[in-house]
Amino acid sequence: MEENPWKTKSRKSLYSNSWIELEEHQVVTPAGTDGLYGKVKFKNKAMAILPVDEELNTWLVGQFRYTIDEYSWEIPEGGSPIGEDILEGAKRELKEETGLTAEKWTPIMRFHTSNSVTDEEGFAYLAQGLSAGETAFEDTEKIEVKKLPLKEAVQKVLDGEITDVISVAVLLKAARMLGV
């Protein structure tokens, strides 16, 4: 493993809420010059779940995303507080957003969403052996749930209709894993 060429001289918190903290870092760059770096620290781990049934159908969730001012179709996703068991967080998120529970959980990947500006770390699971139930949306969520063939969801990625990077990565990797 390579040694970190960046040196931190100081850091200060500029803003913090329940989900994120924005820090300003005074640094020495790999070239040896003084620099400034902004870092968004996440207070949760990202969770992504791809539910797939025996007929190779999946579920997408649609919601309006405030930050991009657009409606977005995604796989079920959410946050798990740091320190919480990652799989338990994934199970909770799947139930909250789709009403589904699963008997079988397979890790798909670990990921970093935008590692040039944030420390967010995430984990994705394939959920199988599904049972339907009631959703439990959070106050910040107005979600539409859609069941469709996994192959169709992958085509939506290829056609640029699904742009959420976590959904893109998980759908493409799972399609390869499942031979879709």
Side-chain angles (χ1 to χ4, degrees):
M1 185 182 329
E2 239 182 89
E3 184 180 327
N4 184 356
W6 292 85
K7 303 298 178 221
T8 304
K9 293 171 31 175
S10 68
R11 71 183 67 159
K12 77 176 168 184
S13 178
L14 301 176
Y15 172 81
S16 183
N17 66 27
S18 299
W19 302 282
I20 63 167
E21 180 178 4
L22 177 60
E23 292 182 340
E24 178 182 276
H25 293 227
Q26 297 292 327
V27 299
V28 176
T29 70
T33 59
D34 287 338
L36 181 67
Y37 214 103
K39 178 179 178 180
V40 179
K41 292 182 63 155
F42 275 74
K43 298 181 180 179
N44 293 290
K45 301 283 185 186
M47 296 290 116
I49 306 94
L50 184 67
V52 177
D53 68 13
E54 297 79 19
E55 291 83 34
L56 294 178
N57 292 305
T58 193
W59 284 254
L60 296 178
V61 293
Q63 61 187 310
F64 195 88
R65 289 296 191 179
Y66 181 84
T67 52
I68 60 172
D69 198 27
E70 290 181 23
Y71 197 84
S72 178
W73 283 102
E74 307 160 4
I75 66 173
E77 300 174 2
S80 179
I82 295 183
E84 178 183 42
D85 179 78
I86 296 165
L87 181 56
E88 290 307 310
K91 288 178 179 180
R92 183 188 64 255
E93 286 298 329
L94 180 63
K95 174 76 174 141
E96 283 178 7
E97 294 193 356
T98 66
L100 297 170
T101 56
E103 293 175 11
K104 181 180 177 188
W105 291 83
T106 306
I108 295 177
M109 66 174 59
R110 173 180 171 251
F111 55 86
H112 292 96
T113 52
S114 187
N115 63 9
S116 63
V117 294
T118 179
D119 66 355
E120 186 177 36
E121 177 183 38
F123 300 87
Y125 290 91
L126 176 65
Q128 296 172 297
L130 304 173
S131 299
E134 294 296 316
T135 58
F137 301 139
E138 296 175 6
D139 292 346
T140 59
E141 298 174 323
K142 183 179 178 188
I143 293 177
E144 181 182 352
V145 180
K146 179 192 319 187
K147 179 181 175 181
L148 70 163
L150 178 58
K151 188 173 189 171
E152 190 176 317
V154 171
Q155 191 60 51
K156 289 181 178 298
V157 168
L158 299 175
D159 292 343
E161 295 175 42
I162 294 177
T163 59
D164 169 66
V165 72
I166 298 171
S167 298
V168 169
V170 173
L171 281 163
L172 293 177
K173 184 162 184 189
R176 182 147 193 187
M177 287 170 58
L178 297 170
V180 172

